[in-house]
């Protein structure tokens, strides 16, 4: 996995250079990371035009806020992905109307046999999280995963899965606390 | 769980923020906490590290080229700098560089090269259905950088050509846009600008030949356009035509 570690160092280095105003480093960072972030925008927003707008907003923010990146606190990819998810979720909250997919049974909603986009590229962090997710009760695991990939609120999730709001909150909260215990062990 | 209930409760809010289940008001509360409290910032950061590996399950998707052009415009990167730092798109134009190297300047050779280019780049061209209402092309220069982007609106029968980072032209010379149908001679689309978008009509002959087997090309011509109806100056940029993503 050493090429992953190298890639990680290179991205951190690029982001540090972007913070000093290097447009060349910014172009290289975009070339290496835009497809990953665009995949996330498309998946969560489910709208090509809006995903493009979100990606533009994300990278203009990267340029302006790169100096707040601290390589000691997070990897460059974690920092970029956090920024991207936050922008996308804020956009979802600004939508006037919630656009639900059809009401479905939770069991049909989520692919519960997931894998990374490319097995060869799975990080140790992913394998670890996967083990801890697998240790959760199915309802907890499925609702945490659905929440993560859809960016939906508790109410939206409860409506879509046709369960009471309190039930959805309890599944997700217990799932999150158990994940923390498992991951921090 | 042996952590105190209160700690769990505040931990949960940070986790819920990162997971994305909070409504707009609750999100804003967490954001202001993160801005004022190191402890909150650290907790949120930790939750990002815990949950984010799930993103690895999402397949990467290459964004369309115009997103990068818009980002640079939004950040007011200057045009010369833009040309220098355009993300490299390897492969497609290696042939063109080769032809340039053997002497693309001669006009007869230029036309021949265009035909050859269309043939040699064929497998790279994305398939498109005949019913697509819009088509698009990134017209890349011999140095690999995108000079113009073109969008073709079939229903309105027009093409909009937007300069991204075109090279400069000497006095009395200007860029002329050509459509090159596979295996045929170039057809003039019109003169295009280097500093502002140009909109040109697409007549019936051009519309009939648009498609994934045709290409766009830009040649250096006198300001009034090629006097012969065929490219007389060097071909400085070419682009495959594909269905616009949308």
């Amino acid at each position: 996995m050493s090429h992953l570690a190298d890639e990680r160092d290179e991205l951190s280095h690029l982001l540090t250079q972007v913070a000093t105003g290097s447009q060349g480093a910014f172009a290289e960072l975009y070339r290496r990371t835009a497809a990953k972030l665009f995949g996330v925008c498309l998946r969560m927003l489910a709208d090509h035009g809006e995903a493009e707008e979100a990606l533009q907003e994300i990278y203009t923010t990267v340029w302006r806020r790169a100096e707040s990146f601290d390589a000691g606190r997070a990897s460059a990819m974690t920092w970029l992905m956090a920024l991207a998810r936050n922008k996308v979720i804020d956009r979802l909250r600004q939508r006037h109307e919630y656009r639900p997919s059809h009401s479905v049974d939770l069991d049909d909603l989520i692919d519960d046999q997931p894998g990374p986009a490319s097995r060869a590229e799975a990080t140790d962090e992913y394998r670890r999280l996967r083990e801890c997710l697998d240790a959760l009760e199915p309802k907890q695991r499925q609702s945490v995963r659905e929440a993560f990939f859809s960016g939906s609120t508790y109410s939206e999730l409860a409506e879509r899965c046709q369960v009471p709001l309190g039930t959805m909150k309890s599944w997700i909260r217990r799932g999150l606390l158990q994940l923390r215990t498992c991951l921090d062990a | 769980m042996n952590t105190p209930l209160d700690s769990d409760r505040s931990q949960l809010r940070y986790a819920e923020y990162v997971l994305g289940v909070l409504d707009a008001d609750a999100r804003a509360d967490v954001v202001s906490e993160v801005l004022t409290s190191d402890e909150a910032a650290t907790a949120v950061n930790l939750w990002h590290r815990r949950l984010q590996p799930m993103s690895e399950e999402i397949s990467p998707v290459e964004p369309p080229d115009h997103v990068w052009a818009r980002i640079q415009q939004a950040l007011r990167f200057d045009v010369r700098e833009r040309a220098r730092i355009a993300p490299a798109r390897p492969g497609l134009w290696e042939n063109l560089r080769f032809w340039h190297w053997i002497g693309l300047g001669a006009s007869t050779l230029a036309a021949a090269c265009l035909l050859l280019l269309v043939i040699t780049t064929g497998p790279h061209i994305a398939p498109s259905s005949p019913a697509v209402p819009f088509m698009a092309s990134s017209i890349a220069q011999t140095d690999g950088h995108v000079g113009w982007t073109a969008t073709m609106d079939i229903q309105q029968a027009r093409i909009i050509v937007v300069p991204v980072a075109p090279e400069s032209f000497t006095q009395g010379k200007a860029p002329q846009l050509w459509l090159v149908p596979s295996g045929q001679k170039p057809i003039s689309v019109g003169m295009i600008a280097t500093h502002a978008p140009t909109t040109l009509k697409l007549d019936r002959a051009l519309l009939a030949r648009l498609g994934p087997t045709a290409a766009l090309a830009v040649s250096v011509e006198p300001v009034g356009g090629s006097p012969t109806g065929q490219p007389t100056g060097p071909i400085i940029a070419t682009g495959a035509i594909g269905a616009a993503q949308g």
Side-chain angles (χ1 to χ4, degrees), chain B residues 35-226:
Chain B
L35 292 174
T36 52
S37 149
D38 267 356
E39 207 181 334
T42 305
V44 164
N45 193 36
L46 266 174
W47 276 108
H48 275 302
R49 280 167 63 171
R50 290 187 186 111
L51 297 178
Q52 257 185 32
M54 258 190 279
S55 307
E56 288 177 38
E57 289 177 22
I58 300 176
S59 303
V61 180
E62 282 298 335
D65 288 346
H66 60 246
V67 178
W68 173 244
R70 285 180 196 154
I71 289 167
Q72 293 181 94
Q73 269 163 18
L75 294 175
R76 298 176 199 284
F77 286 1
D78 83 75
V79 172
R80 285 181 69 86
E81 188 69 0
R82 270 193 233 168
R84 196 172 66 74
I85 66 174
R89 298 270 169 192
L92 197 57
W93 306 113
E94 296 306 311
N95 296 330
L96 194 62
R97 275 183 214 171
F98 173 73
W99 287 111
H100 194 78
W101 177 70
I102 65 164
L104 192 60
S107 62
T108 46
L109 189 59
C113 289
L114 263 176
L115 294 181
L116 225 138
L117 228 146
V118 172
I119 296 157
T120 53
T121 56
H124 296 281
I125 297 166
S128 81
S129 87
V132 285
F134 290 96
M135 288 189 242
S137 175
S138 287
I139 310 172
Q141 291 165 142
T142 44
D143 58 5
H145 298 148
V146 174
W148 292 265
T149 60
T151 311
M152 288 139 271
D153 181 338
I154 307 309
Q155 256 160 4
Q156 301 286 321
R158 64 182 182 186
I159 180 169
I160 300 163
V161 187
V162 180
V164 178
E167 62 181 55
S168 52
F169 289 79
T170 52
Q171 187 87 33
K173 298 287 181 189
Q176 184 164 2
L177 182 68
W178 306 86
L179 176 73
V180 192
S182 178
Q184 295 176 40
K185 283 183 176 178
I187 307 168
S188 175
V189 182
M191 303 304 290
I192 55 175
T194 53
H195 294 99
T198 308
T199 303
L200 296 164
K201 283 295 285 178
L202 292 169
D203 65 24
R204 201 166 297 195
L206 286 167
L207 277 176
R209 290 171 174 81
L210 283 183
T213 57
L216 292 175
V218 174
S219 69
V220 180
E221 301 297 338
V223 171
S226 159

Side-chain angles (χ1 to χ4, degrees), chain A residues 33-82:
Chain A
T33 57
K36 273 189 186 150
L37 300 194
F38 192 54
V40 169
C41 294
L42 270 179
R43 168 81 175 255
M44 295 181 76
L45 292 165
D47 177 304
H48 208 281
E50 209 180 346
E52 288 180 15
E53 281 175 27
L55 193 69
Q56 180 181 339
E57 194 188 343
I58 289 160
Y59 278 94
T60 49
T61 309
V62 167
W63 175 253
R64 291 180 179 132
R65 288 222 210 116
E67 77 278 358
S68 70
F69 168 68
D70 177 353
R73 273 178 97 128
S75 74
M77 205 58 221
T78 302
W79 188 85
L80 288 168
M81 194 63 87

